[in-house]
Amino acid sequence: MSEKYQEEPSETLRSVSSQQKLEAQWVVGFVDGEGCFYVGINPQSEMKTGFQVLPEFTVVQHERDVQLLHALKHYFGCGVVRRNHADRMAYRIRDAKHLRERIIPFFERHSLKSKKILDFIKFRKVLMMMERGEHLTPEGVAQIRKIASKMNTGRER
């Protein structure tokens, strides 16, 4: 005799809406696990140095949890939520002003707990260099490239 059964959750699962108030330490833990501080250096013939420096803060989630990304966007008051790849969504901030004025101060006040803090420190250094205009010189781009090559995986790019 074949029995069909329905799996019933023992408790109701609630979705986090973009209007729910997130706590700073929850944001820190979430970013520690799912976030990325990244510095791209792309060839760009219109730039004086021939390269464009593109800092980016990203958090990626499966599309079923996109509400978490919208909650982060609401929390920081900037950035975009877009499809990343296939069933993955990403919350991204690429605007250097928003990165300097919102993301950097937040993680200076609320420290990351994992080794991701090392990437954050390098990311902050690159943003400070950019604020001083160092990304507009060949020497500055070379220094930023060296810093960026040691971020995330630690492997040379």
Side-chain angles (χ1 to χ4, degrees), residues 137-154:
T137 68
E139 299 80 17
V141 170
Q143 190 174 359
I144 290 169
R145 184 184 305 279
K146 186 176 180 181
I147 293 166
S149 74
K150 300 212 178 355
M151 291 176 68
N152 302 310
T153 62

Side-chain angles (χ1 to χ4, degrees), residues 95-149:
D95 184 291
K97 181 179 178 190
H98 289 152
L99 292 168
R100 280 192 317 271
E101 294 178 0
R102 297 180 189 195
I103 300 305
I104 297 302
F106 175 82
F107 288 106
E108 286 175 335
R109 283 189 312 273
H110 307 283
S111 184
L112 293 155
K113 309 299 184 231
S114 73
K115 291 199 179 205
K116 195 163 287 180
I117 193 169
L118 301 174
D119 291 331
F120 168 75
I121 291 166
K122 292 172 185 139
F123 186 77
R124 180 180 62 190
K125 181 175 184 172
V126 168
L127 283 166
M128 290 167 44
M129 292 173 70
M130 291 177 71
E131 192 169 17
R132 294 189 299 265
E134 294 178 42
H135 65 298
L136 303 174
T137 68
E139 299 80 17
V141 170
Q143 190 174 359
I144 290 169
R145 184 184 305 279
K146 186 176 180 181
I147 293 166
S149 74

Side-chain angles (χ1 to χ4, degrees), residues 29-124:
F30 193 58
V31 170
D32 253 331
E34 306 295 334
C36 179
F37 298 96
Y38 175 76
V39 177
I41 302 171
N42 297 338
Q44 185 63 262
S45 59
E46 292 88 39
M47 301 297 288
K48 189 168 85 171
T49 61
F51 294 95
Q52 183 178 25
V53 178
L54 300 166
E56 178 180 297
F57 169 67
T58 306
V59 180
V60 176
Q61 283 292 286
H62 189 275
E63 64 189 353
R64 71 179 167 257
D65 291 321
V66 70
Q67 75 278 2
L68 296 174
L69 302 178
H70 285 287
L72 281 176
K73 179 182 175 188
H74 181 76
Y75 185 84
F76 286 115
C78 61
V80 297
V81 175
R82 297 235 162 79
R83 186 158 303 280
N84 191 29
H85 297 290
D87 58 357
R88 302 284 172 200
M89 301 295 288
Y91 168 58
R92 287 192 178 98
I93 303 173
R94 292 180 172 165
D95 184 291
K97 181 179 178 190
H98 289 152
L99 292 168
R100 280 192 317 271
E101 294 178 0
R102 297 180 189 195
I103 300 305
I104 297 302
F106 175 82
F107 288 106
E108 286 175 335
R109 283 189 312 273
H110 307 283
S111 184
L112 293 155
K113 309 299 184 231
S114 73
K115 291 199 179 205
K116 195 163 287 180
I117 193 169
L118 301 174
D119 291 331
F120 168 75
I121 291 166
K122 292 172 185 139
F123 186 77
R124 180 180 62 190

